[in-house]
PDB file of all heavy atoms in Angstrom:
ATOM      1  N   ALA A   1      88.024  82.385 104.727  1.00 97.00           N
ATOM      2  CA  ALA A   1      86.824  82.282 103.892  1.00 97.00           C
ATOM      3  C   ALA A   1      86.216  83.662 103.647  1.00 97.00           C
ATOM      4  O   ALA A   1      85.756  83.966 102.541  1.00 97.00           O
ATOM      5  CB  ALA A   1      85.801  81.364 104.563  1.00 97.00           C
ATOM      6  N   TYR A   2      86.217  84.497 104.668  1.00 97.00           N
ATOM      7  CA  TYR A   2      85.715  85.872 104.542  1.00 97.00           C
ATOM      8  C   TYR A   2      86.521  86.651 103.502  1.00 97.00           C
ATOM      9  O   TYR A   2      85.963  87.335 102.636  1.00 97.00           O
ATOM     10  CB  TYR A   2      85.798  86.554 105.908  1.00 97.00           C
ATOM     11  CG  TYR A   2      85.431  88.016 105.933  1.00 97.00           C
ATOM     12  CD1 TYR A   2      84.121  88.416 106.174  1.00 97.00           C
ATOM     13  CD2 TYR A   2      86.396  89.002 105.734  1.00 97.00           C
ATOM     14  CE1 TYR A   2      83.783  89.763 106.207  1.00 97.00           C
ATOM     15  CE2 TYR A   2      86.064  90.346 105.765  1.00 97.00           C
ATOM     16  CZ  TYR A   2      84.763  90.716 106.004  1.00 97.00           C
ATOM     17  OH  TYR A   2      84.436  92.051 106.034  1.00 97.00           O
ATOM     18  N   ALA A   3      87.845  86.540 103.566  1.00 97.00           N
ATOM     19  CA  ALA A   3      88.711  87.247 102.618  1.00 97.00           C
ATOM     20  C   ALA A   3      88.487  86.757 101.188  1.00 97.00           C
ATOM     21  O   ALA A   3      88.419  87.558 100.241  1.00 97.00           O
ATOM     22  CB  ALA A   3      90.177  87.070 103.018  1.00 97.00           C
ATOM     23  N   ALA A   4      88.355  85.445 101.024  1.00 97.00           N
ATOM     24  CA  ALA A   4      88.123  84.899  99.688  1.00 97.00           C
ATOM     25  C   ALA A   4      86.797  85.393  99.109  1.00 97.00           C
ATOM     26  O   ALA A   4      86.706  85.749  97.927  1.00 97.00           O
ATOM     27  CB  ALA A   4      88.131  83.362  99.750  1.00 97.00           C
ATOM     28  N   ALA A   5      85.773  85.447  99.941  1.00 97.00           N
ATOM     29  CA  ALA A   5      84.453  85.872  99.479  1.00 97.00           C
ATOM     30  C   ALA A   5      84.467  87.322  99.016  1.00 97.00           C
ATOM     31  O   ALA A   5      83.920  87.660  97.946  1.00 97.00           O
ATOM     32  CB  ALA A   5      83.427  85.691 100.603  1.00 97.00           C
ATOM     33  N   TYR A   6      85.099  88.204  99.783  1.00 96.00           N
ATOM     34  CA  TYR A   6      85.069  89.623  99.425  1.00 96.00           C
ATOM     35  C   TYR A   6      86.096  89.985  98.359  1.00 96.00           C
ATOM     36  O   TYR A   6      85.975  91.025  97.719  1.00 96.00           O
ATOM     37  CB  TYR A   6      85.199  90.494 100.676  1.00 96.00           C
ATOM     38  CG  TYR A   6      83.870  90.580 101.380  1.00 96.00           C
ATOM     39  CD1 TYR A   6      83.611  89.807 102.513  1.00 96.00           C
ATOM     40  CD2 TYR A   6      82.855  91.369 100.869  1.00 96.00           C
ATOM     41  CE1 TYR A   6      82.374  89.850 103.128  1.00 96.00           C
ATOM     42  CE2 TYR A   6      81.611  91.417 101.481  1.00 96.00           C
ATOM     43  CZ  TYR A   6      81.373  90.662 102.601  1.00 96.00           C
ATOM     44  OH  TYR A   6      80.135  90.701 103.189  1.00 96.00           O
ATOM     45  N   LEU A   7      87.074  89.111  98.147  1.00 97.00           N
ATOM     46  CA  LEU A   7      87.930  89.285  96.974  1.00 97.00           C
ATOM     47  C   LEU A   7      87.099  89.110  95.709  1.00 97.00           C
ATOM     48  O   LEU A   7      87.183  89.918  94.767  1.00 97.00           O
ATOM     49  CB  LEU A   7      89.080  88.275  97.001  1.00 97.00           C
ATOM     50  CG  LEU A   7      89.979  88.256  95.763  1.00 97.00           C
ATOM     51  CD1 LEU A   7      90.652  89.607  95.552  1.00 97.00           C
ATOM     52  CD2 LEU A   7      91.017  87.143  95.868  1.00 97.00           C
ATOM     53  N   VAL A   8      86.273  88.079  95.687  1.00 97.00           N
ATOM     54  CA  VAL A   8      85.364  87.857  94.558  1.00 97.00           C
ATOM     55  C   VAL A   8      84.384  89.025  94.445  1.00 97.00           C
ATOM     56  O   VAL A   8      84.146  89.569  93.353  1.00 97.00           O
ATOM     57  CB  VAL A   8      84.600  86.529  94.734  1.00 97.00           C
ATOM     58  CG1 VAL A   8      83.501  86.392  93.678  1.00 97.00           C
ATOM     59  CG2 VAL A   8      85.564  85.353  94.652  1.00 97.00           C
ATOM     60  N   GLY A   9      83.822  89.450  95.569  1.00 96.00           N
ATOM     61  CA  GLY A   9      82.868  90.551  95.557  1.00 96.00           C
ATOM     62  C   GLY A   9      83.462  91.849  95.054  1.00 96.00           C
ATOM     63  O   GLY A   9      82.832  92.577  94.268  1.00 96.00           O
ATOM     64  N   ALA A  10      84.680  92.160  95.490  1.00 96.00           N
ATOM     65  CA  ALA A  10      85.334  93.401  95.059  1.00 96.00           C
ATOM     66  C   ALA A  10      85.586  93.403  93.556  1.00 96.00           C
ATOM     67  O   ALA A  10      85.358  94.415  92.878  1.00 96.00           O
ATOM     68  CB  ALA A  10      86.645  93.589  95.822  1.00 96.00           C
ATOM     69  N   CYS A  11      86.058  92.285  93.043  1.00 96.00           N
ATOM     70  CA  CYS A  11      86.337  92.204  91.601  1.00 96.00           C
ATOM     71  C   CYS A  11      85.062  92.374  90.775  1.00 96.00           C
ATOM     72  O   CYS A  11      85.036  93.118  89.789  1.00 96.00           O
ATOM     73  CB  CYS A  11      87.007  90.869  91.275  1.00 96.00           C
ATOM     74  SG  CYS A  11      88.677  90.681  91.942  1.00 96.00           S
ATOM     75  N   ILE A  12      83.999  91.689  91.192  1.00 96.00           N
ATOM     76  CA  ILE A  12      82.753  91.764  90.426  1.00 96.00           C
ATOM     77  C   ILE A  12      82.133  93.152  90.539  1.00 96.00           C
ATOM     78  O   ILE A  12      81.742  93.752  89.525  1.00 96.00           O
ATOM     79  CB  ILE A  12      81.756  90.694  90.916  1.00 96.00           C
ATOM     80  CG1 ILE A  12      82.300  89.298  90.652  1.00 96.00           C
ATOM     81  CG2 ILE A  12      80.402  90.870  90.223  1.00 96.00           C
ATOM     82  CD1 ILE A  12      81.432  88.180  91.212  1.00 96.00           C
ATOM     83  N   SER A  13      82.006  93.673  91.758  1.00 95.00           N
ATOM     84  CA  SER A  13      81.315  94.949  91.944  1.00 95.00           C
ATOM     85  C   SER A  13      82.067  96.083  91.259  1.00 95.00           C
ATOM     86  O   SER A  13      81.440  96.972  90.646  1.00 95.00           O
ATOM     87  CB  SER A  13      81.141  95.250  93.435  1.00 95.00           C
ATOM     88  OG  SER A  13      82.385  95.294  94.103  1.00 95.00           O
ATOM     89  N   TYR A  14      83.394  96.075  91.315  1.00 96.00           N
ATOM     90  CA  TYR A  14      84.166  97.138  90.660  1.00 96.00           C
ATOM     91  C   TYR A  14      84.000  97.085  89.148  1.00 96.00           C
ATOM     92  O   TYR A  14      83.753  98.116  88.489  1.00 96.00           O
ATOM     93  CB  TYR A  14      85.647  97.025  91.030  1.00 96.00           C
ATOM     94  CG  TYR A  14      86.488  98.159  90.470  1.00 96.00           C
ATOM     95  CD1 TYR A  14      86.666  99.323  91.195  1.00 96.00           C
ATOM     96  CD2 TYR A  14      87.082  98.061  89.216  1.00 96.00           C
ATOM     97  CE1 TYR A  14      87.429 100.378  90.686  1.00 96.00           C
ATOM     98  CE2 TYR A  14      87.831  99.104  88.693  1.00 96.00           C
ATOM     99  CZ  TYR A  14      88.009 100.249  89.436  1.00 96.00           C
ATOM    100  OH  TYR A  14      88.750 101.289  88.921  1.00 96.00           O
ATOM    101  N   SER A  15      84.120  95.899  88.587  1.00 95.00           N
ATOM    102  CA  SER A  15      84.057  95.782  87.129  1.00 95.00           C
ATOM    103  C   SER A  15      82.660  96.114  86.595  1.00 95.00           C
ATOM    104  O   SER A  15      82.522  96.789  85.567  1.00 95.00           O
ATOM    105  CB  SER A  15      84.470  94.372  86.695  1.00 95.00           C
ATOM    106  OG  SER A  15      83.614  93.395  87.257  1.00 95.00           O
ATOM    107  N   VAL A  16      81.611  95.682  87.301  1.00 95.00           N
ATOM    108  CA  VAL A  16      80.245  95.959  86.845  1.00 95.00           C
ATOM    109  C   VAL A  16      79.926  97.447  86.964  1.00 95.00           C
ATOM    110  O   VAL A  16      79.356  98.054  86.044  1.00 95.00           O
ATOM    111  CB  VAL A  16      79.229  95.119  87.647  1.00 95.00           C
ATOM    112  CG1 VAL A  16      77.801  95.536  87.301  1.00 95.00           C
ATOM    113  CG2 VAL A  16      79.426  93.633  87.367  1.00 95.00           C
ATOM    114  N   LEU A  17      80.274  98.067  88.081  1.00 94.00           N
ATOM    115  CA  LEU A  17      79.999  99.496  88.250  1.00 94.00           C
ATOM    116  C   LEU A  17      80.822 100.334  87.278  1.00 94.00           C
ATOM    117  O   LEU A  17      80.321 101.333  86.737  1.00 94.00           O
ATOM    118  CB  LEU A  17      80.296  99.923  89.691  1.00 94.00           C
ATOM    119  CG  LEU A  17      79.930 101.367  90.032  1.00 94.00           C
ATOM    120  CD1 LEU A  17      78.430 101.599  89.868  1.00 94.00           C
ATOM    121  CD2 LEU A  17      80.370 101.717  91.460  1.00 94.00           C
ATOM    122  N   ARG A  18      82.047  99.929  87.056  1.00 94.00           N
ATOM    123  CA  ARG A  18      82.890 100.652  86.102  1.00 94.00           C
ATOM    124  C   ARG A  18      82.258 100.644  84.707  1.00 94.00           C
ATOM    125  O   ARG A  18      82.225 101.668  84.023  1.00 94.00           O
ATOM    126  CB  ARG A  18      84.279 100.004  86.054  1.00 94.00           C
ATOM    127  CG  ARG A  18      85.241 100.638  85.061  1.00 94.00           C
ATOM    128  CD  ARG A  18      86.485  99.776  84.929  1.00 94.00           C
ATOM    129  NE  ARG A  18      87.392 100.304  83.923  1.00 94.00           N
ATOM    130  CZ  ARG A  18      88.357  99.609  83.350  1.00 94.00           C
ATOM    131  NH1 ARG A  18      88.531  98.336  83.679  1.00 94.00           N
ATOM    132  NH2 ARG A  18      89.141 100.154  82.448  1.00 94.00           N
ATOM    133  N   ARG A  19      81.750  99.504  84.311  1.00 93.00           N
ATOM    134  CA  ARG A  19      81.105  99.417  83.007  1.00 93.00           C
ATOM    135  C   ARG A  19      79.831 100.259  82.953  1.00 93.00           C
ATOM    136  O   ARG A  19      79.547 100.919  81.953  1.00 93.00           O
ATOM    137  CB  ARG A  19      80.800  97.956  82.684  1.00 93.00           C
ATOM    138  CG  ARG A  19      80.234  97.747  81.273  1.00 93.00           C
ATOM    139  CD  ARG A  19      80.184  96.286  80.879  1.00 93.00           C
ATOM    140  NE  ARG A  19      79.328  95.497  81.733  1.00 93.00           N
ATOM    141  CZ  ARG A  19      79.759  94.596  82.615  1.00 93.00           C
ATOM    142  NH1 ARG A  19      81.063  94.383  82.764  1.00 93.00           N
ATOM    143  NH2 ARG A  19      78.909  93.905  83.361  1.00 93.00           N
ATOM    144  N   HIS A  20      79.091 100.274  84.028  1.00 90.00           N
ATOM    145  CA  HIS A  20      77.830 101.018  84.069  1.00 90.00           C
ATOM    146  C   HIS A  20      78.070 102.527  84.017  1.00 90.00           C
ATOM    147  O   HIS A  20      77.321 103.258  83.349  1.00 90.00           O
ATOM    148  CB  HIS A  20      77.048 100.662  85.328  1.00 90.00           C
ATOM    149  CG  HIS A  20      75.666 101.242  85.359  1.00 90.00           C
ATOM    150  ND1 HIS A  20      74.580 100.590  84.817  1.00 90.00           N
ATOM    151  CD2 HIS A  20      75.196 102.420  85.846  1.00 90.00           C
ATOM    152  CE1 HIS A  20      73.497 101.337  84.964  1.00 90.00           C
ATOM    153  NE2 HIS A  20      73.839 102.452  85.592  1.00 90.00           N
ATOM    154  N   LEU A  21      79.106 102.998  84.711  1.00 90.00           N
ATOM    155  CA  LEU A  21      79.371 104.440  84.767  1.00 90.00           C
ATOM    156  C   LEU A  21      80.231 104.926  83.608  1.00 90.00           C
ATOM    157  O   LEU A  21      80.404 106.134  83.425  1.00 90.00           O
ATOM    158  CB  LEU A  21      80.067 104.790  86.086  1.00 90.00           C
ATOM    159  CG  LEU A  21      79.264 104.586  87.370  1.00 90.00           C
ATOM    160  CD1 LEU A  21      80.123 104.921  88.589  1.00 90.00           C
ATOM    161  CD2 LEU A  21      77.995 105.433  87.366  1.00 90.00           C
ATOM    162  N   GLY A  22      80.783 104.002  82.853  1.00 88.00           N
ATOM    163  CA  GLY A  22      81.675 104.406  81.771  1.00 88.00           C
ATOM    164  C   GLY A  22      83.091 104.667  82.236  1.00 88.00           C
ATOM    165  O   GLY A  22      83.889 105.300  81.536  1.00 88.00           O
ATOM    166  N   GLY A  23      83.423 104.166  83.422  1.00 89.00           N
ATOM    167  CA  GLY A  23      84.778 104.337  83.955  1.00 89.00           C
ATOM    168  C   GLY A  23      84.766 104.672  85.423  1.00 89.00           C
ATOM    169  O   GLY A  23      83.793 105.235  85.945  1.00 89.00           O
ATOM    170  N   LEU A  24      85.837 104.316  86.124  1.00 90.00           N
ATOM    171  CA  LEU A  24      86.013 104.655  87.539  1.00 90.00           C
ATOM    172  C   LEU A  24      87.421 105.196  87.779  1.00 90.00           C
ATOM    173  O   LEU A  24      87.988 104.988  88.855  1.00 90.00           O
ATOM    174  CB  LEU A  24      85.762 103.422  88.420  1.00 90.00           C
ATOM    175  CG  LEU A  24      84.322 103.169  88.854  1.00 90.00           C
ATOM    176  CD1 LEU A  24      84.194 101.804  89.533  1.00 90.00           C
ATOM    177  CD2 LEU A  24      83.823 104.262  89.795  1.00 90.00           C
ATOM    178  N   HIS A  25      87.960 105.893  86.765  1.00 91.00           N
ATOM    179  CA  HIS A  25      89.314 106.451  86.875  1.00 91.00           C
ATOM    180  C   HIS A  25      90.315 105.357  87.235  1.00 91.00           C
ATOM    181  O   HIS A  25      91.189 105.535  88.100  1.00 91.00           O
ATOM    182  CB  HIS A  25      89.361 107.577  87.911  1.00 91.00           C
ATOM    183  CG  HIS A  25      88.455 108.735  87.576  1.00 91.00           C
ATOM    184  ND1 HIS A  25      88.903 109.847  86.882  1.00 91.00           N
ATOM    185  CD2 HIS A  25      87.143 108.945  87.809  1.00 91.00           C
ATOM    186  CE1 HIS A  25      87.892 110.700  86.725  1.00 91.00           C
ATOM    187  NE2 HIS A  25      86.813 110.166  87.271  1.00 91.00           N
ATOM    188  N   THR A  26      90.190 104.216  86.550  1.00 92.00           N
ATOM    189  CA  THR A  26      91.044 103.065  86.848  1.00 92.00           C
ATOM    190  C   THR A  26      92.530 103.353  86.665  1.00 92.00           C
ATOM    191  O   THR A  26      93.342 102.935  87.506  1.00 92.00           O
ATOM    192  CB  THR A  26      90.615 101.859  85.996  1.00 92.00           C
ATOM    193  OG1 THR A  26      89.238 101.565  86.266  1.00 92.00           O
ATOM    194  CG2 THR A  26      91.460 100.637  86.323  1.00 92.00           C
ATOM    195  N   PRO A  27      92.968 104.054  85.593  1.00 94.00           N
ATOM    196  CA  PRO A  27      94.404 104.357  85.487  1.00 94.00           C
ATOM    197  C   PRO A  27      94.935 105.125  86.694  1.00 94.00           C
ATOM    198  O   PRO A  27      96.039 104.835  87.185  1.00 94.00           O
ATOM    199  CB  PRO A  27      94.482 105.198  84.205  1.00 94.00           C
ATOM    200  CG  PRO A  27      93.313 104.754  83.395  1.00 94.00           C
ATOM    201  CD  PRO A  27      92.234 104.499  84.385  1.00 94.00           C
ATOM    202  N   THR A  28      94.140 106.078  87.191  1.00 92.00           N
ATOM    203  CA  THR A  28      94.546 106.825  88.388  1.00 92.00           C
ATOM    204  C   THR A  28      94.639 105.901  89.590  1.00 92.00           C
ATOM    205  O   THR A  28      95.574 106.001  90.399  1.00 92.00           O
ATOM    206  CB  THR A  28      93.548 107.959  88.666  1.00 92.00           C
ATOM    207  OG1 THR A  28      93.459 108.817  87.525  1.00 92.00           O
ATOM    208  CG2 THR A  28      93.969 108.780  89.875  1.00 92.00           C
ATOM    209  N   LEU A  29      93.665 104.993  89.714  1.00 93.00           N
ATOM    210  CA  LEU A  29      93.670 104.048  90.827  1.00 93.00           C
ATOM    211  C   LEU A  29      94.875 103.118  90.751  1.00 93.00           C
ATOM    212  O   LEU A  29      95.510 102.821  91.776  1.00 93.00           O
ATOM    213  CB  LEU A  29      92.378 103.233  90.820  1.00 93.00           C
ATOM    214  CG  LEU A  29      92.253 102.155  91.902  1.00 93.00           C
ATOM    215  CD1 LEU A  29      92.286 102.779  93.288  1.00 93.00           C
ATOM    216  CD2 LEU A  29      90.976 101.337  91.705  1.00 93.00           C
ATOM    217  N   VAL A  30      95.220 102.655  89.553  1.00 94.00           N
ATOM    218  CA  VAL A  30      96.370 101.760  89.391  1.00 94.00           C
ATOM    219  C   VAL A  30      97.662 102.473  89.777  1.00 94.00           C
ATOM    220  O   VAL A  30      98.506 101.913  90.483  1.00 94.00           O
ATOM    221  CB  VAL A  30      96.442 101.233  87.949  1.00 94.00           C
ATOM    222  CG1 VAL A  30      97.755 100.487  87.716  1.00 94.00           C
ATOM    223  CG2 VAL A  30      95.248 100.314  87.659  1.00 94.00           C
ATOM    224  N   ARG A  31      97.822 103.719  89.304  1.00 94.00           N
ATOM    225  CA  ARG A  31      99.025 104.476  89.665  1.00 94.00           C
ATOM    226  C   ARG A  31      99.092 104.690  91.175  1.00 94.00           C
ATOM    227  O   ARG A  31     100.166 104.565  91.785  1.00 94.00           O
ATOM    228  CB  ARG A  31      99.031 105.824  88.937  1.00 94.00           C
ATOM    229  CG  ARG A  31      99.283 105.710  87.437  1.00 94.00           C
ATOM    230  CD  ARG A  31      99.586 107.068  86.832  1.00 94.00           C
ATOM    231  NE  ARG A  31      98.431 107.974  86.909  1.00 94.00           N
ATOM    232  CZ  ARG A  31      97.504 108.078  85.976  1.00 94.00           C
ATOM    233  NH1 ARG A  31      97.564 107.304  84.895  1.00 94.00           N
ATOM    234  NH2 ARG A  31      96.498 108.920  86.120  1.00 94.00           N
ATOM    235  N   PHE A  32      97.951 104.986  91.771  1.00 93.00           N
ATOM    236  CA  PHE A  32      97.901 105.144  93.228  1.00 93.00           C
ATOM    237  C   PHE A  32      98.273 103.835  93.920  1.00 93.00           C
ATOM    238  O   PHE A  32      99.052 103.824  94.881  1.00 93.00           O
ATOM    239  CB  PHE A  32      96.495 105.584  93.649  1.00 93.00           C
ATOM    240  CG  PHE A  32      96.183 105.333  95.096  1.00 93.00           C
ATOM    241  CD1 PHE A  32      96.639 106.197  96.076  1.00 93.00           C
ATOM    242  CD2 PHE A  32      95.430 104.222  95.477  1.00 93.00           C
ATOM    243  CE1 PHE A  32      96.356 105.956  97.413  1.00 93.00           C
ATOM    244  CE2 PHE A  32      95.138 103.980  96.813  1.00 93.00           C
ATOM    245  CZ  PHE A  32      95.601 104.850  97.788  1.00 93.00           C
ATOM    246  N   ALA A  33      97.715 102.713  93.436  1.00 93.00           N
ATOM    247  CA  ALA A  33      97.956 101.423  94.071  1.00 93.00           C
ATOM    248  C   ALA A  33      99.428 101.033  94.011  1.00 93.00           C
ATOM    249  O   ALA A  33      99.986 100.516  94.994  1.00 93.00           O
ATOM    250  CB  ALA A  33      97.092 100.347  93.415  1.00 93.00           C
ATOM    251  N   VAL A  34     100.082 101.289  92.877  1.00 94.00           N
ATOM    252  CA  VAL A  34     101.507 100.949  92.735  1.00 94.00           C
ATOM    253  C   VAL A  34     102.334 101.742  93.746  1.00 94.00           C
ATOM    254  O   VAL A  34     103.195 101.190  94.449  1.00 94.00           O
ATOM    255  CB  VAL A  34     101.982 101.213  91.299  1.00 94.00           C
ATOM    256  CG1 VAL A  34     103.506 101.099  91.211  1.00 94.00           C
ATOM    257  CG2 VAL A  34     101.320 100.242  90.329  1.00 94.00           C
ATOM    258  N   ARG A  35     102.077 103.044  93.815  1.00 94.00           N
ATOM    259  CA  ARG A  35     102.827 103.871  94.773  1.00 94.00           C
ATOM    260  C   ARG A  35     102.501 103.504  96.214  1.00 94.00           C
ATOM    261  O   ARG A  35     103.376 103.491  97.088  1.00 94.00           O
ATOM    262  CB  ARG A  35     102.512 105.349  94.526  1.00 94.00           C
ATOM    263  CG  ARG A  35     103.157 105.909  93.249  1.00 94.00           C
ATOM    264  CD  ARG A  35     102.772 107.362  93.013  1.00 94.00           C
ATOM    265  NE  ARG A  35     101.359 107.468  92.666  1.00 94.00           N
ATOM    266  CZ  ARG A  35     100.561 108.449  93.076  1.00 94.00           C
ATOM    267  NH1 ARG A  35     101.025 109.391  93.869  1.00 94.00           N
ATOM    268  NH2 ARG A  35      99.297 108.488  92.710  1.00 94.00           N
ATOM    269  N   MET A  36     101.237 103.154  96.457  1.00 94.00           N
ATOM    270  CA  MET A  36     100.823 102.784  97.805  1.00 94.00           C
ATOM    271  C   MET A  36     101.493 101.491  98.250  1.00 94.00           C
ATOM    272  O   MET A  36     101.981 101.372  99.384  1.00 94.00           O
ATOM    273  CB  MET A  36      99.305 102.628  97.825  1.00 94.00           C
ATOM    274  CG  MET A  36      98.681 102.598  99.208  1.00 94.00           C
ATOM    275  SD  MET A  36      98.709 104.218  99.990  1.00 94.00           S
ATOM    276  CE  MET A  36      99.160 103.739 101.655  1.00 94.00           C
TER     277      MET A  36
END
């Protein structure tokens, strides 16, 4: 239940902050995540 809750939280908080700041270097994060 804890994991499910923070999965929702991570998705919402990242997307809202990204929109507010005009970006969070998402392409860089995706490339990092794939290699990781």
